[in-house]
Amino acid sequence: MAQTAIIEAFGGPEQFKLVDRPVGEPGPGEVRISHRSCGLNFIDVYQRTGLYPLNLPHALGMEAAGVIEAVGEGVTHLKEGDRAAYAAAPPGAYCEARVMPAAQVCPLPEGVDFETGAAMMLKGLTVNYLFHRTTPLKRGDTVLFHAAAGGVGLIACQWARDEGITLIGTAGTDEKCQLALDNGATHCINYRTADFKAEVAKLTDGKGVDVVMDSVGKDTFEGSLDCLKPLGMMISFGNASGPVPPVNIGILGGKGSLKLTRPTLFTHIADHAACQQMAAELFAKVTSGAVKIHIDQRFALADVAEAHRTLEARKTTGSTVLTLG
């Protein structure tokens, strides 16, 4: 039996309840993993509220790290006793142990502890596809990155610095802006005290940026489009402020033949080999010291509701983990 955080109805954090669930044995292509730490992400909020619907009741959580307890037939990249971490579907990481598909579970290097592993997989793999797999980026390019002091944002700031990319961040307080700057952002705009669109125009001499990476959604979408240079790419990869309203595709032509995409991590990691390669690239960034994972909040699994409240109130910086044991 494994203690597991589930929801039986969509709604606020009060919907969480802890139950004991049988774990079972892995079938073909599966592993059983005993978790040491679980990650917290905004996608978990979208699933809890029903923005991304699930069949209920359902456990939540998309990333964790722990030890492989058993492997099913056909699994060759993992064995019993291996340290491992993942960002993977289906949801269900908020638990002490689970049986799950093995393809997106990755061997965790010895130099990376379990909390770091749990805190970085979904966020770090997201940064990987944003910078390497969505549109060509090269040294000297300029990116506007919203929520630059969050879990994904702080990794992105460091990733950009390591690869010679100018990153203009936005954040909601001066302290968060300083955190982004300390982690490699070239500039950071406090969007509560300044118009980020006007500030980006000043910082780029009116030229605009090559790429916008926007996980905020509704509140920043239109302004983000206006920050792009002609032929620029808008990457909308989240909805923290709510879903983006329907878009008249014609505005992209009027604003300079812009490109718009709405990617998801789980498309990029659906292929086993691609997932393992992306994880290896992320681990290399972390073990080399180019990227440091900031774990700024820790909650016990029993306090998962409070963890969600804190995340939704925008009171977090860096990554948040749920601890087990």
Side-chain angles (χ1 to χ4, degrees), residues 148-174:
V152 178
L154 290 184
I155 296 173
C157 290
Q158 297 172 80
W159 202 289
R161 177 175 59 190
D162 188 52
E163 299 194 349
I165 292 167
T166 297
L167 187 144
I168 301 171
T170 71
T173 67
D174 289 343

Side-chain angles (χ1 to χ4, degrees), residues 211-228:
V211 178
V212 176
M213 300 176 180
D214 187 345
S215 64
V216 176
K218 176 174 64 71
D219 289 352
T220 51
F221 182 80
E222 289 190 15
S224 292
L225 289 179
D226 290 333
C227 290
L228 285 165

Side-chain angles (χ1 to χ4, degrees), residues 96-246:
E96 294 174 324
R98 68 186 294 201
V99 169
M100 63 181 296
Q104 282 69 47
V105 181
C106 305
L108 186 66
E110 286 296 329
V112 181
D113 62 66
F114 290 120
E115 283 197 352
T116 301
M120 76 176 181
M121 292 299 289
L122 192 146
K123 303 168 192 68
L125 292 173
T126 295
V127 173
N128 186 315
Y129 86 69
L130 289 172
F131 279 80
H132 287 180
R133 295 170 179 265
T134 306
T135 190
L137 277 171
K138 62 185 183 301
R139 185 172 294 273
D141 283 348
T142 300
V143 167
L144 173 63
F145 199 102
H146 291 296
V152 178
L154 290 184
I155 296 173
C157 290
Q158 297 172 80
W159 202 289
R161 177 175 59 190
D162 188 52
E163 299 194 349
I165 292 167
T166 297
L167 187 144
I168 301 171
T170 71
T173 67
D174 289 343
E175 292 76 15
K176 286 186 175 183
C177 284
Q178 188 59 53
L179 184 58
L181 292 168
D182 291 344
N183 279 272
T186 314
H187 310 280
C188 196
I189 302 161
N190 183 337
Y191 63 80
R192 296 190 190 279
T193 59
D195 177 351
F196 75 81
K197 187 170 68 170
E199 293 299 312
V200 168
K202 291 179 189 175
L203 291 169
T204 61
D205 295 324
K207 296 175 182 176
V209 300
D210 298 284
V211 178
V212 176
M213 300 176 180
D214 187 345
S215 64
V216 176
K218 176 174 64 71
D219 289 352
T220 51
F221 182 80
E222 289 190 15
S224 292
L225 289 179
D226 290 333
C227 290
L228 285 165
K229 63 175 57 171
L231 305 179
M233 168 67 85
M234 171 71 178
I235 307 174
S236 177
F237 70 101
N239 323 281
S241 67
V244 174

Side-chain angles (χ1 to χ4, degrees), residues 223-268:
S224 292
L225 289 179
D226 290 333
C227 290
L228 285 165
K229 63 175 57 171
L231 305 179
M233 168 67 85
M234 171 71 178
I235 307 174
S236 177
F237 70 101
N239 323 281
S241 67
V244 174
V247 177
N248 173 5
I249 196 169
I251 67 173
L252 301 178
K255 291 179 182 292
S257 300
L258 304 181
K259 293 163 281 189
L260 169 63
T261 185
R262 190 11 176 133
T264 71
L265 170 63
F266 299 104
T267 305
H268 283 276

